[in-house]
Amino acid sequence: MSAELEALLESEQVLGTYDSTGVFTLSLVEARRKLAHFQLASLEFAVLKMIQALVQMQPQAIWMESDERGFILNWAEAQELLEPEQLARELEQWMLGPAGAAKDMAIGLAAFLDREPAEIWWAHWENQQIVQMVNLFGSDRQTQLPPPVGLYRRIHSLRVVGATQSLALDRTIIANRTLFCPVPILWNGRLMCELSWSPPGFWPGQPPYWADF
């Protein structure tokens, strides 16, 4: 075995662990240190990168929830799927890899690491029943995640939990750059376009409809 391969395997053992429950975790501290030079200009651009990734995966809907300490990104019935354990284990390689959904998701995810979240979870539901739950970064504890509200059979979710630095987002920055997104996007229960788009015939107080695009 070459010295380079031995060094690579040794570094991977330091970064990741598996346990008997199948939960995969990486050290948040180590990930932040290694990926600091990939940081985006702002957290809003991290969210936009994630939306860009999801659009390439062709879901039927995207909806988000956020406050200063947490962020949840849900998507339903995607045509393309990502492998969460591989995404966490090879985050840096995917960021440097060819253009695509995996690259964009990795870049967006790395920006959230800088806000020092307690944990980042990836979950998959089928008919409101959990079928996969992976702790990408943080502790190796078990938890119970409530299923996202939705009318879809298959839903995936990315959850950033317990950030010590603010996750406050400027909705306008994101809304202005997703005006013509081919997938309907909701944020905290409201259409993303609601605060930033006034089509002909639109009057204040009238609920916008995504299909008007």
Side-chain angles (χ1 to χ4, degrees), residues 16-56:
T17 60
Y18 285 95
D19 61 31
S20 59
T21 64
V23 175
F24 179 81
T25 64
L26 285 178
S27 164
L28 280 166
V29 174
E30 183 66 16
R32 284 196 298 269
R33 183 189 66 78
K34 288 190 64 176
L35 304 175
H37 57 292
F38 288 108
Q39 291 305 312
L40 297 171
S42 72
L43 200 59
E44 287 81 11
F45 286 96
V47 175
L48 287 167
K49 268 296 178 186
M50 289 180 169
I51 293 174
Q52 183 178 343
L54 294 184
V55 168
Q56 295 172 78

Side-chain angles (χ1 to χ4, degrees), residues 1-145:
M1 183 181 297
S2 69
E4 291 81 6
L5 181 55
E6 288 179 347
L8 175 62
L9 292 175
E10 201 171 316
S11 68
E12 292 297 327
Q13 289 174 351
V14 171
L15 290 177
T17 60
Y18 285 95
D19 61 31
S20 59
T21 64
V23 175
F24 179 81
T25 64
L26 285 178
S27 164
L28 280 166
V29 174
E30 183 66 16
R32 284 196 298 269
R33 183 189 66 78
K34 288 190 64 176
L35 304 175
H37 57 292
F38 288 108
Q39 291 305 312
L40 297 171
S42 72
L43 200 59
E44 287 81 11
F45 286 96
V47 175
L48 287 167
K49 268 296 178 186
M50 289 180 169
I51 293 174
Q52 183 178 343
L54 294 184
V55 168
Q56 295 172 78
M57 295 161 64
Q58 303 181 58
Q60 292 186 12
I62 299 170
W63 63 105
M64 300 178 285
E65 300 172 33
S66 72
D67 56 31
E68 289 197 354
R69 297 203 63 218
F71 175 80
I72 302 174
L73 178 64
N74 302 300
W75 62 99
E77 308 294 353
Q79 298 301 305
E80 179 183 337
L81 302 178
L82 298 178
E83 174 49 54
E85 293 183 358
Q86 184 181 14
L87 176 64
R89 186 172 58 248
E90 301 175 4
L91 192 65
E92 186 173 11
Q93 291 93 318
W94 283 23
M95 293 169 70
L96 295 171
K103 181 185 181 77
D104 292 331
M105 181 62 74
I107 292 173
L109 184 58
F112 275 91
L113 297 178
D114 190 51
R115 300 305 176 97
E116 300 180 357
E119 296 164 340
I120 298 182
W121 291 87
W122 184 293
H124 172 198
W125 283 269
E126 295 275 355
N127 297 319
Q128 299 292 299
Q129 299 296 317
I130 191 76
V131 297
Q132 183 184 34
M133 186 170 64
V134 179
N135 190 351
L136 299 181
F137 300 93
S139 69
D140 58 0
R141 72 180 180 91
Q142 290 291 310
T143 190
Q144 290 186 342
L145 300 178

